[in-house]
Structures are given as structure tokens and as C-alpha cells.
Amino acid sequence: MRCVSPTLYPPKKNRPFLLILPLFTLLLSLYLGPRNNPSFLLPYLSIPVGTIVLFFVFLEQKNKKEQGLNSEIEDLQGRINILYDQLQIEETKNKALHLKLKKYDNLALLTEKFNQNLSLDDALKLLAKECFQLLGQEKSTCLIYLSDSYSELSLAGSYGPAADDSVIKDKKGDIFSQWALAHTQPLLVEDTSSDFRFDKQTVKKTSQRKISSLISSCLISQNRPLGILRLDSPEKKLWTLEDLRLLNTIADIASIAIDNAKCYQNIKELAIKDSLTGLYTHTHILERLDEEFKRCLADENSLSVLMLDIDFFKKYNDRYGHLAGDIVLKNLSLWLKDALKTQDAIIGRFGGEEFLVILPAASKQEAFSLAENTRAFIQAKTINLRRNKTGITVSIGAAGFPQDTDIAGDLINKADTALYKAKRLGRNRVCLF
């Protein structure tokens, strides 16, 4: 909208009244002068004639000034309009700059939040929420996929109105996420039904949710793809290239945070997990037992533990060497995980060839059944040691709370007593305290 001021025209004067002066002068000269001497009128006639001439000269000059003034006013008005247009452009630039500064302030705040948190789960939750708040729309969803060493994606975080649906579906990613991971490039799709890079029929088959537009960026750290950060929506043309650039910047910041969180998690696991078997260490398994015991006391629930020992483990070291003994321990740890994968079992290496299994909310009789199934599962397994196929057996002792004791440390002693009972009875068996 331009500023328009009214053109300044000077008000018109009653010009006929200006003729009164010379007429009055002429009549006066006729009255005073002798009527029989017309020449006497010449000096008096020169006065009104000169007055009339001067009057018209004055009008001409006045018109010229008015025209010049109007021209200057029009020129000034044009300059005002140009300046106003420039002001509008500057205001638009100022607003855009203000939005950019606000976005960069939010990015700086996001970086600070990442630096204050080293937990991988918390970092992923924070990333999904902040990314949605910065770029998300009403019906959009923010998804985070992490990649393993085989370049397979798995859903690690989500946020938005449709987040509940996305947790159930598309856990391994769809054609769009696979494309972004394979090309390690940002991706903007304004309309999935008409994008030349993706076949329409393939999109319908692979994606279980309605997706009409999306932006996606690859999470990369030290030239390694970590996963995909993505926003999608059932509405078309929801994001622009400027949004994609912002998402890419967020992905760069998040990649460093995720990589640091993974390193911290690995260091933390090294402190609580046995380097050979990957199971919890002696110290940590005891800490977990105390935690579960307190929880069972508060919930008035049962708790059982299993003490497990490899039968005649020394003969494997003597016959095949200590390296063979390490192979046996590694395989046994994997078999224990497989045998108890349907349970909320907490497994740790208690020492040497002994293992401790905590079974929260399991009664003593349920623990016995699980132990027997685990023993049979291990007995059926085979292992190659120096090109010789062999197998191992285990003896297991079980004890439960509250039947056997109401002290966490004493529960282990009871299970250990049952374990030695199983050994005395011939090994490869399960005994209850």
C-alpha cells in the first residue's frame, strides 16, 4: 500500500473583483478631468491600462509558480512511493532475518540440551520432540531411524499426532528412508504420487501410512551413516527447501550427539558387562538383585534366582586349552540368552564358569520349570573344539523369595547350596533349595 497525499493546488481567488480597481480609477479620472479636453484623460487612462497589464503579468507568473510547485509535489510524491517500496522490502528482509535468528537460537539451545544429556534414549526423545516443534505441522510425524552395521534401519524414536501408529508400522523404514540412507543425501518430496524418483505403485505397497509429502536427512558422523531423521505428512507440499536446509542442520547437530551417546553407552556397558561373555559382571548383577528384591518387597511379589555351573569345565581347558574354555563360555552365554529370551531374565557371570540368573516375579516352582528347560536346551547343543564335535551340560540350583529367605544376599547362598546338591547327585540336573 503506497502513501498517497492530495495534490496541493492553491485555492482560486475571486479574480473578477480585481478588475474593480482599474475601473474605479477610470471613472474617477473621467469625473475629475475636463470634459472638453479629452487629451487630459491620457495620463489617467495609462494608470488603469498599466494596472490591467500588471495584473495579467501577475497571473501568468502565479500560474507558472503553481505549475512548478505541482511538478515538484509530483516528483516528491514519486520519491516517497519509491522509498516506501524500499522500506517494505527492507521490512520483509528484516522479518526473514528475525526468523532465521530465532531458528539459530533454537538450534543453539538444542545443542546445549544435547550436551547436557549423554543418554541415547533421552537424546532420541529430545531430537524427535524438538525437530517436530521446529518444523512439524498439525498432522505431520517426526521419525528417527537408526542403522546397524548391515545398513538395516530400525525405528528408534517418533513424535507427533500419528506417532502411536508409526511405532507399530514401518519399523524397518520404507522406500523413502531406504533411498535417503543409500544416497546419504537430504530428500524433499512435495508429492509422493508424482515424484519421478519413486514408483507410485511401489510407494503404495511399501508404506503402510498415508504419506503425501516429506523431508528427510541422513544422520552422518565421521563419514558413517547412523540413521535417518525424517518428517512426513498426509498433506501435499507441506515443506520447502528452506525447511530441508534447517532439517539438515539439525541432523548434523544430532549426529554428533547420537555418536557421543553411543560411545558413552558402550563405555558404560564395558563397566557393567563381562568382556568375554557380554553378560553382566559380578558387581552389577548383585546391584540388580538388590534393586529387584526391593521392588518385589514393595509390590509384594515373588522373586527367584538360579545358580548355574558348567559340569567338568576343567576338562575342556585341560584337553583343548584355555582358548577352548573361552569358546565354551561364549557359547553358553548365547544359549542362556536364547533359552530365557521370552522371560524378563537378568543374566550375569558370577565368577569363572558360574552364572547367576535373576527371575523377577517368578515363583520357586516356575523357576524350577525354567531351569529344567534351560538345562535340556543346553544339553541338546553341540560345539566344535579343535575339529571335535562335543557338548556341555550344566547343573542348576534354584531358590525363591519369600519361601526360602527374605534377604537378597541369603537368596544367592540358598541357590548355591542347591547347586552343590545337584553336583553331588550326579550333575546335569536341577535342584531346589
Side-chain angles (χ1 to χ4, degrees):
M1 179 178 177
R2 295 189 175 186
C3 295
V4 179
S5 60
T7 306
L8 300 177
Y9 289 102
K12 294 183 178 180
K13 296 181 180 180
N14 295 326
R15 294 174 182 174
F17 289 100
L18 295 175
L19 298 174
I20 296 175
L21 179 61
L23 290 175
F24 176 76
T25 305
L26 178 60
L27 292 175
L28 181 62
S29 60
L30 290 173
Y31 177 76
L32 296 176
R35 297 178 182 177
N36 55 357
N37 189 11
S39 62
F40 177 77
L41 295 175
L42 292 176
Y44 296 98
L45 289 175
S46 64
I47 296 174
V49 172
T51 303
I52 294 172
V53 172
L54 290 175
F55 171 72
F56 283 106
V57 170
F58 170 76
L59 288 180
E60 183 68 20
Q61 293 295 327
K62 185 179 180 182
N63 289 336
K64 289 183 179 180
K65 287 182 179 180
E66 287 180 355
Q67 291 176 359
L69 183 59
N70 290 337
S71 177
E72 290 181 4
I73 291 173
E74 291 178 358
D75 183 59
L76 289 174
Q77 186 63 55
R79 293 182 182 182
I80 290 173
N81 290 335
I82 293 173
L83 291 175
Y84 183 78
D85 290 340
Q86 291 178 351
L87 179 62
Q88 291 290 93
I89 295 173
E90 293 299 325
E91 286 182 354
T92 303
K93 290 182 179 179
N94 189 34
K95 289 180 180 179
L97 181 60
H98 179 72
L99 290 175
K100 283 186 178 181
L101 290 175
K102 186 176 181 181
K103 289 179 180 179
Y104 284 117
D105 287 340
N106 292 330
L107 291 177
L109 184 60
L110 178 61
T111 304
E112 184 178 350
K113 290 180 179 179
F114 276 134
N115 292 334
Q116 293 174 353
N117 195 342
L118 288 175
S119 169
L120 180 60
D121 291 338
D122 292 343
L124 293 174
K125 291 178 182 178
L126 175 64
L127 173 61
K129 181 179 179 180
E130 293 291 331
C131 185
F132 180 84
Q133 290 179 350
L134 288 173
L135 289 169
Q137 304 292 337
E138 183 180 357
K139 298 181 181 180
S140 61
T141 305
C142 180
L143 300 175
I144 303 173
Y145 291 95
L146 292 183
S147 173
D148 59 16
S149 57
Y150 300 100
S151 296
E152 293 185 359
L153 294 174
S154 60
L155 185 65
S158 61
Y159 193 89
D164 293 337
D165 294 335
S166 65
V167 170
I168 301 173
K169 304 174 182 178
D170 299 335
K171 287 187 176 181
K172 298 297 182 181
D174 53 20
I175 187 173
F176 305 110
S177 296
Q178 295 292 346
W179 187 96
L181 182 67
H183 293 79
T184 61
Q185 292 180 358
L187 174 64
L188 168 63
V189 180
E190 295 183 341
D191 186 355
T192 57
S193 62
S194 60
D195 195 290
F196 70 93
R197 292 168 292 187
F198 306 100
D199 181 66
K200 185 177 180 179
Q201 298 301 323
T202 306
V203 170
K204 288 184 178 180
K205 292 179 181 179
T206 58
S207 181
Q208 300 181 29
R209 296 182 298 118
K210 183 181 178 182
I211 301 172
S212 297
S213 62
L214 64 93
I215 49 175
S216 179
S217 183
C218 191
L219 299 166
I220 301 175
S221 179
Q222 299 179 4
N223 295 323
R224 293 182 295 105
L226 302 178
I228 297 296
L229 176 61
R230 163 174 153 178
L231 283 160
D232 59 47
S233 173
E235 298 181 1
K236 299 178 181 179
K237 298 182 179 180
L238 204 60
W239 290 284
T240 63
L241 284 173
E242 183 65 26
D243 296 327
L244 183 62
R245 281 191 285 268
L246 179 58
L247 181 70
N248 204 37
T249 304
I250 295 174
D252 290 340
I253 297 173
S255 298
I256 299 173
I258 291 173
D259 204 22
N260 290 338
K262 280 188 172 183
C263 291
Y264 176 76
Q265 184 174 343
N266 292 336
I267 294 172
K268 189 176 180 180
E269 288 183 354
L270 288 174
I272 64 174
K273 289 191 175 181
D274 178 62
S275 60
L276 179 63
T277 62
L279 303 177
Y280 289 124
T281 61
H282 177 92
T283 302
H284 187 70
I285 196 69
L286 292 179
E287 292 176 355
R288 291 298 305 272
L289 178 61
D290 287 337
E291 293 174 3
E292 296 299 328
F293 199 84
K294 291 176 181 177
R295 186 178 292 110
C296 288
L297 285 173
D299 299 338
E300 296 182 355
N301 210 339
S302 57
L303 174 69
S304 299
V305 297
L306 305 177
M307 285 294 293
L308 182 147
D309 185 84
I310 301 175
D311 297 330
F312 305 109
F313 179 72
K314 188 174 182 298
K315 73 176 184 179
Y316 293 100
N317 287 330
D318 294 341
R319 183 175 179 181
Y320 300 106
H322 289 281
L323 184 60
D326 291 344
I327 295 174
V328 170
L329 292 173
K330 286 182 180 179
N331 280 274
L332 178 59
S333 65
L334 296 175
W335 296 338
L336 286 174
K337 291 178 182 178
D338 288 342
L340 299 169
K341 63 184 178 181
T342 59
Q343 306 296 320
D344 294 329
I346 304 169
I347 311 171
R349 186 182 179 187
F350 199 70
E353 67 274 16
E354 284 189 333
F355 297 83
L356 175 64
V357 180
I358 303 172
L359 300 171
S363 66
K364 188 175 179 180
Q365 193 58 42
E366 290 173 340
F368 178 83
S369 299
L370 287 171
E372 182 59 33
N373 292 336
T374 301
R375 182 202 63 77
F377 181 83
I378 294 172
Q379 185 180 10
K381 295 292 183 177
T382 59
I383 184 173
N384 290 322
L385 297 176
R386 293 184 180 271
R387 299 181 182 179
N388 294 317
K389 184 176 291 186
T390 184
I392 61 172
T393 60
V394 294
S395 299
I396 304 175
F401 164 81
Q403 297 95 327
D404 299 324
T405 182
D406 56 359
I407 302 173
D410 197 29
L411 194 60
I412 295 178
N413 294 332
K414 302 293 185 183
D416 197 46
T417 300
L419 170 62
Y420 280 97
K421 179 182 177 181
K423 286 186 175 183
R424 287 195 305 270
L425 294 176
R427 292 180 170 85
N428 192 24
R429 67 187 65 231
V430 179
C431 286
L432 292 175
F433 177 77

